[in-house]
């Protein structure tokens, strides 16, 4: 459930400038010869022009970029960057992606753009997975501001809805602007399931992982090693706490 007294959001232009600043810093993590996974969303896509500039300058020779979403693939191609697949690069050196909500452990909720399953596959394939975000994404507790997206095989939609209600969630089918259900790249549907602030995100992730019909969910637990976060204090690099 949303906060009773949410902090007012900063001006969208300011948030956009934070995303740009975080994206520019993230592009600096890429080195020549690396295989790099890239997720989805405005922040992840904002990394691409910075990569392209470095590529044109000869700093990234031999690098290859593996997108988690068609939209990212199109952005990479538009900027003349080489696009690969997990078939050919199953072990990535680095993964860069945005997030919807990030806690102090760098666990996060993702999937606002609907690419959660492929984003998690790319993130897990990366030796080092790095979140790139504006400071508005930081949260004392996951679930405070965002529902957990749950990707569901259409055959299982009705029983999965009942299951999510039974475990304390409030699922809502994600719709396209024309009112039809939004479909993921796998042809699945998404239930945005509000749970309120989560006492045990890892426990909830395990419950969702165990449920047949759930093709994926937006809780990314124990994956990120670093978060690059830009806000009023500039760009900060937050390492995952030990333990
Ligand atoms: O998980 C995602 C897409 O599925 C995005 O990373 C997340 O929604 C953040 O988006 P943005 O960078 O546009 O704020």
């Amino acid at each position: 459930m949303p906060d009773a007294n949410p902090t007012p959001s900063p001006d969208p232009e300011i948030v956009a400038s934070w995303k740009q600043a975080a994206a520019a810093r993230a592009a600096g993590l890429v080195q020549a010869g690396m295989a790099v996974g890239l997720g989805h969303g405005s922040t992840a896509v904002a990394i691409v022009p910075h990569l392209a500039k470095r590529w044109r300058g000869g700093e990234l020779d031999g690098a290859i970029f593996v997108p988690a979403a068609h939209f990212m693939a199109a952005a990479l191609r538009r900027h003349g960057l080489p696009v690969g697949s997990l078939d050919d690069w199953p072990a990535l050196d680095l993964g860069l992606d945005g997030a919807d909500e990030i806690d102090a452990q760098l666990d996060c909720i993702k999937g606002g753009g609907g690419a959660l399953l492929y984003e998690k596959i790319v993130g897990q394939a990366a030796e080092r997975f790095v979140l790139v975000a504006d400071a508005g994404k930081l949260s004392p507790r996951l679930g405070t501001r965002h529902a957990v997206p749950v990707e569901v095989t259409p055959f299982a939609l009705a029983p999965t809805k009942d299951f999510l209600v039974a475990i304390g969630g409030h699922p809502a089918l994600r719709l396209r602007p024309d009112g039809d259900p939004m479909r993921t790249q796998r042809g699945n549907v998404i239930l945005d399931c509000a749970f309120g602030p989560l006492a045990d995100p890892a426990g909830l992730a395990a419950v969702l992982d165990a449920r047949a019909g759930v093709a994926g969910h937006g809780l990314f637990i124990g994956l990120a090693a670093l978060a690059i976060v830009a806000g009023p204090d500039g760009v900060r690099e937050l390492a995952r706490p030990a333990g």
Side-chain angles (χ1 to χ4, degrees):
M1 293 288 108
D3 275 344
N5 294 302
T7 313
S9 302
D11 185 320
E13 277 185 26
I14 293 177
V15 174
S17 73
W18 291 344
K19 290 182 180 195
Q20 283 296 337
R25 175 74 68 90
L29 297 180
V30 179
Q31 294 172 15
M34 276 187 168
V36 181
L38 287 160
H40 184 36
S42 58
T43 317
V45 168
I47 300 169
V48 175
H50 299 283
L51 293 173
K53 190 172 173 205
R54 295 189 62 211
W55 173 266
R56 286 192 302 271
E59 292 175 50
L60 300 181
D61 287 352
I64 185 89
F65 300 96
V66 175
H70 299 315
F71 193 75
M72 176 59 82
L76 289 165
R77 291 203 176 92
R78 213 171 38 248
H79 282 86
L81 290 164
V83 175
S85 76
L86 286 178
D87 292 337
D88 296 320
W89 282 272
L92 305 171
D93 299 291
L94 180 67
L96 301 173
D97 205 345
D100 295 303
E101 197 171 341
I102 305 171
D103 72 11
Q105 308 305 310
L106 305 192
D107 292 335
C108 67
I109 293 177
K110 285 186 48 57
L116 52 151
L117 176 57
Y118 284 15
E119 288 172 336
K120 196 178 283 183
I121 292 168
V122 167
Q124 288 182 346
E127 190 182 331
R128 190 170 182 232
F129 182 58
V130 177
L131 299 174
V132 188
D134 61 272
K137 304 295 180 50
L138 295 176
S139 167
R141 207 171 254 216
L142 297 183
T144 304
R145 298 195 199 107
H146 275 271
V148 177
V150 180
E151 181 167 341
V152 180
T153 309
F155 182 70
L157 181 57
T160 305
K161 255 185 172 169
D162 289 349
F163 168 74
L164 291 170
V165 170
I167 63 169
H170 301 269
L173 185 63
R174 193 180 295 186
L175 301 176
R176 300 189 316 201
D178 66 5
D180 282 346
M182 205 207 99
R183 296 281 180 157
T184 68
Q185 290 183 89
R186 292 290 307 154
N188 293 324
V189 293
I190 293 179
L191 290 169
D192 286 305
C193 194
F195 287 96
L198 296 174
D200 180 14
L204 176 60
V207 168
L208 295 174
D209 283 333
R211 178 74 185 185
V214 171
H217 58 82
L219 285 167
F220 283 45
I221 308 295
L223 254 186
L226 184 75
I228 296 180
V229 179
D233 306 328
V235 182
R236 290 185 295 153
E237 296 193 6
L238 309 176
R240 184 176 190 81

